Amino acid sequence: MRILIVEDDSRLLLQLDQYMQSQGFSVDLADDGEKALYQLQEYDYDLAIIDVGLPSIDGFEVVQRARAMDISCPIIILTARDRWQEKVKGLECGADDYLTKPFVHEELLARVKALIRRSAGQASPIVQKGPLSLDTSANQLYVNEQAVELTAYEYKVIEYLMMNPNKVVSKTEMVEHIYDQDFDLDSNVIEVFVGRLRRKIDKDNIIKPIETLRGRGYRLNVNLQ
C-alpha cells in the first residue's frame, strides 16, 4: 500500500518515513501544504497522513481542498492541539481520523491499517478469500491455514489484489501502489512477482489465485470471492 506523509518537522517526517517503510508501506513525503495538494492530485494513494500545522496551507485546508477535488483516499490528521474543537474541525473538513501529538508509532500504524481495511470494505484484519487468508496485522498470507513465506513485495502484490477483489489492476497501477514515486513505472517487475506468487500459493495449479486479463492487468480469481 502506498501512503503520503505530510509533515513540516523534518525529524518527525524522517522517523515516520522509516517506520512506515519498515512496516511494508511505500511512502511519499511532503513538507508543506502546496506540495501535498500537488501529490494528492498526481498520485493515487491508499491513505494520507497530514499534519495540521503546515506552512503555506495548513492541514485543515489541504484536507478540505483535497475533498473538493474528489480525492477520496482515507486521511488521518496529526495535531499538537488537543482541544476537542480542533478535532471536530478536522473531521468536518473531511479527515477520517485524527491523532494528537505526541503519539506512539504503533498507534498510528493501527489506525492506518484500520482505515485502509475499511476503505476496502474489510472490517476485520483477516481477509478471507476462498482458501486464501491474509492477516493484515501480521503481514502474513495463509493458504488452507498453512503459512506461505513471501518477500515484502510479493506480499504487497497479493495484499493489493485481495483488498481490491473485484478490480482489474493494471501493471502501472500496481507499481504505483507498491513503490514510491521514484520507481521506474515502465518496469515489468510485476510479472515476476505474479509468477512467483502463483508458484508459491498454487504449486499444483489447482487454486489459480491470480487471473491475467490480456492487455488489462491482473485480478484475484473471481471463484475465490
Side-chain angles (χ1 to χ4, degrees):
M1 297 294 176
R2 185 176 177 183
I3 64 174
L4 173 66
I5 302 177
V6 188
E7 169 62 62
D8 66 324
D9 181 330
S10 58
R11 183 176 179 183
L12 178 57
L13 185 63
L14 177 61
Q15 290 174 349
L16 293 176
D17 179 26
Q18 292 175 338
Y19 178 72
M20 296 306 288
Q21 287 199 52
S22 76
Q23 298 302 310
F25 290 90
S26 300
V27 181
D28 291 349
L29 306 174
D31 57 9
D32 67 45
E34 293 282 3
K35 293 177 184 175
L37 280 172
Y38 171 78
Q39 289 179 239
L40 285 166
Q41 291 177 81
E42 287 294 308
Y43 304 105
D44 183 16
Y45 291 105
D46 296 293
L47 179 137
I49 300 168
I50 301 176
D51 180 43
V52 168
L54 297 172
S56 70
I57 304 173
D58 71 25
F60 294 134
E61 188 170 349
V62 171
V63 175
Q64 195 167 32
R65 288 195 196 180
R67 294 310 192 209
M69 294 184 288
D70 292 327
I71 294 168
S72 61
C73 70
I75 295 175
I76 298 175
I77 55 171
L78 305 180
T79 176
R81 311 164 192 173
D82 59 1
R83 296 170 57 232
W84 66 266
Q85 292 93 336
E86 300 294 333
K87 298 171 183 176
V88 169
K89 182 178 179 180
L91 295 173
E92 288 183 341
C93 284
D96 300 277
D97 199 359
Y98 62 84
L99 196 55
T100 303
K101 298 176 182 177
F103 55 84
V104 294
H105 292 169
E106 289 80 5
E107 181 180 1
L108 176 62
L109 176 65
R111 290 172 183 263
V112 166
K113 288 189 172 184
L115 278 178
I116 290 175
R117 287 198 309 271
R118 286 180 208 148
S119 70
Q122 299 286 344
S124 169
I126 307 298
V127 181
Q128 188 76 42
K129 300 295 178 184
L132 276 58
S133 178
L134 192 73
D135 184 345
T136 59
S137 62
N139 290 357
Q140 178 64 59
L141 176 71
Y142 297 87
V143 178
N144 293 319
E145 301 183 355
Q146 298 296 312
V148 179
E149 294 301 318
L150 302 176
T151 67
Y153 283 107
E154 289 166 357
Y155 176 84
K156 289 180 181 183
V157 170
I158 194 63
E159 178 189 43
Y160 194 72
L161 290 172
M162 290 183 69
M163 295 291 276
N164 297 276
N166 300 310
K167 185 176 184 181
V168 178
V169 180
S170 69
K171 287 189 229 177
T172 299
E173 178 181 346
M174 182 66 77
V175 168
E176 289 177 345
H177 281 268
I178 71 172
Y179 288 100
D180 62 33
Q181 64 192 37
D182 296 324
F183 188 77
D184 177 11
L185 297 184
D186 292 330
S187 174
N188 288 319
V189 70
I190 300 302
E191 291 181 17
V192 176
F193 293 148
V194 169
R196 289 181 189 169
L197 283 167
R198 284 170 170 154
R199 290 190 292 273
K200 289 184 176 183
I201 295 172
D202 191 24
K203 294 178 182 178
D204 299 322
N205 198 31
I206 296 172
I207 301 171
K208 303 184 188 302
I210 302 172
E211 299 178 317
T212 298
L213 288 89
R214 189 175 298 276
R216 296 173 62 195
Y218 302 101
R219 180 176 62 193
L220 192 72
N221 189 333
V222 293
N223 293 322
L224 299 180
Q225 310 301 322

